[in-house]
Amino acid sequence: PSRFKDMDKAAKRLADAVMNGEKITLFADYDVDGATSSAVLARFLRAAGSNADVYIPDRLKEGYGPSVGALEMLAGKGTKVLVALDCGTTAFDALRAGTDAGLDIVVIDHHEAEPELPAVHALVNPNRMDEDRVYGHLCTAGLAFLFAVAINRELRVRGFWTGDRPEPVLTRWLDLVALGTVCDVVKLEGINRAFVVQGLKVMARRDNPGLRALSDVAGLNSMPESYHLGFVLGPRINAGGRIGDSGLGSKLLRTDDAGEAAAIATRLDILNGERRDIETACFEDAIYQVEEG
């Protein structure tokens, strides 16, 4: 992970927050990449004894990425460290306002950067203009996993992990990384291919209650393949952000409560059906307009 600029700086700040009991908020995009990256990091932080909050902006009311109002609100509620996932690289005004409000902001993102970078504590992005772009094909779920590796290593160096608080097995979250990687339609080569190959093996164990519930409502009862991630599970997670509650996907992937997982999965399945109906109606209306001249 240390090959990325600002990665070690970001890991040290999160390790400080974990050890000092500071309030951490994960601010993630409303798509599958945002849902999976926030779930990976939330699960890792939970294993380290830090129950981070997760904030997913409403697509219609707040738009994409950090906003001045949201960041000032989170600072006012006691957040000390904010991690922006799958967004933030060009959110100059919002991140400046957040920094001015007292937040230490860490951006984990893969979207194209500009020559100028926002005023934040750290910005990890393989597509920064001062990076070599070798790993520019990573999505945020993959970067969030590498970020967890970096924080885990920093905590290990500090002697944080003990017999009573054992170091987590990070590979158990590769099912989430695989899902985000396939659904963000990044190139399946190099490390991305490794994430998906290994992540599908983890997913086959059905350890994640949310993914298990979603697979059940979708009728997926065979060995998962990349097709199932992109065309069965992904659209259902996306449906919440498109026509329902934008935070449902992340909440589904973070929960360890089987009952809650079943309820959210059922809701997302219904929303996905509504999304398909809306798209079909729009398509048929467009055809009608064309034929009518």
Side-chain angles (χ1 to χ4, degrees):
S2 297
R3 79 178 321 278
F4 298 106
K5 295 184 185 301
D6 278 3
M7 178 67 89
D8 290 342
K9 186 178 182 183
K12 286 180 169 62
R13 185 64 188 92
L14 266 290
D16 288 343
V18 168
M19 298 183 75
N20 296 330
E22 296 177 273
K23 185 173 182 179
I24 303 167
T25 296
L26 309 178
F27 188 108
D29 190 21
Y30 36 64
D31 67 359
V32 179
D33 197 19
T36 51
S37 57
S38 60
V40 167
L41 210 50
R43 285 185 170 278
F44 168 76
L45 292 170
R46 191 188 306 164
S50 177
N51 287 314
D53 288 346
V54 175
Y55 186 92
I56 312 288
D58 184 280
R59 179 192 292 260
L60 297 179
K61 296 177 182 177
E62 298 177 81
Y64 168 78
S67 62
V68 172
L71 266 55
E72 290 181 343
M73 178 271 293
L74 292 170
K77 290 187 174 182
T79 295
K80 298 300 181 185
V81 179
L82 182 133
V83 182
L85 295 162
D86 200 32
C87 58
T89 296
T90 57
F92 299 101
D93 293 342
L95 296 186
R96 166 57 70 185
T99 297
D100 290 345
L103 296 173
D104 279 346
I105 300 175
V106 172
V107 175
I108 308 292
D109 192 14
H110 69 117
H111 293 101
E112 287 294 328
E114 297 181 9
E116 178 188 359
L117 296 176
V120 294
H121 182 81
L123 192 151
V124 179
N125 185 332
N127 289 308
R128 283 173 49 153
M129 296 189 76
D130 55 353
E131 285 279 12
D132 59 17
R133 307 288 186 105
V134 172
Y135 288 93
H137 60 303
L138 277 167
C139 68
T140 307
L143 284 169
F145 179 78
L146 294 176
F147 187 32
V149 172
I151 304 168
N152 186 71
R153 181 175 60 191
E154 179 65 24
L155 290 171
R156 183 193 307 138
V157 169
R158 298 184 187 191
F160 179 79
W161 305 116
T162 64
D164 294 331
R165 186 172 51 213
E167 192 172 316
V169 179
L170 303 182
T171 50
R172 68 186 181 188
W173 298 312
L174 284 176
D175 50 358
L176 299 172
V177 179
L179 179 60
T181 300
V182 170
C183 291
D184 221 46
V185 203
V186 290
K187 291 182 180 179
L188 288 186
E189 60 184 31
I191 192 171
N192 281 349
R193 179 168 289 277
F195 280 153
V196 173
V197 168
Q198 300 305 323
L200 287 170
K201 296 176 185 176
V202 175
M203 190 178 291
R205 301 202 307 250
R206 292 167 58 90
D207 291 339
N208 184 294
L211 285 176
R212 183 168 64 243
L214 196 63
S215 297
D216 289 344
V217 299
L220 174 54
N221 52 17
S222 59
M223 283 290 291
E225 299 177 2
S226 57
Y227 168 83
H228 300 122
L229 275 59
F231 294 96
V232 178
L233 302 179
R236 286 169 169 80
I237 293 171
N238 260 333
R242 295 196 173 172
I243 60 172
D245 179 346
S246 58
L248 284 176
S250 177
K251 187 180 295 184
L252 175 75
L253 301 177
R254 298 191 324 264
T255 186
D256 286 327
D257 184 307
E260 181 181 42
I264 296 174
T266 299
R267 176 66 178 148
L268 287 173
D269 190 54
I270 292 170
L271 288 172
N272 189 53
E274 293 177 4
R275 175 194 62 79
R276 283 198 301 259
D277 291 344
I278 292 170
E279 289 183 356
T280 299
C282 289
F283 178 74
E284 290 175 350
D285 185 57
I287 294 296
Y288 174 78
Q289 290 182 44
V290 170
E291 291 177 343
E292 290 297 304

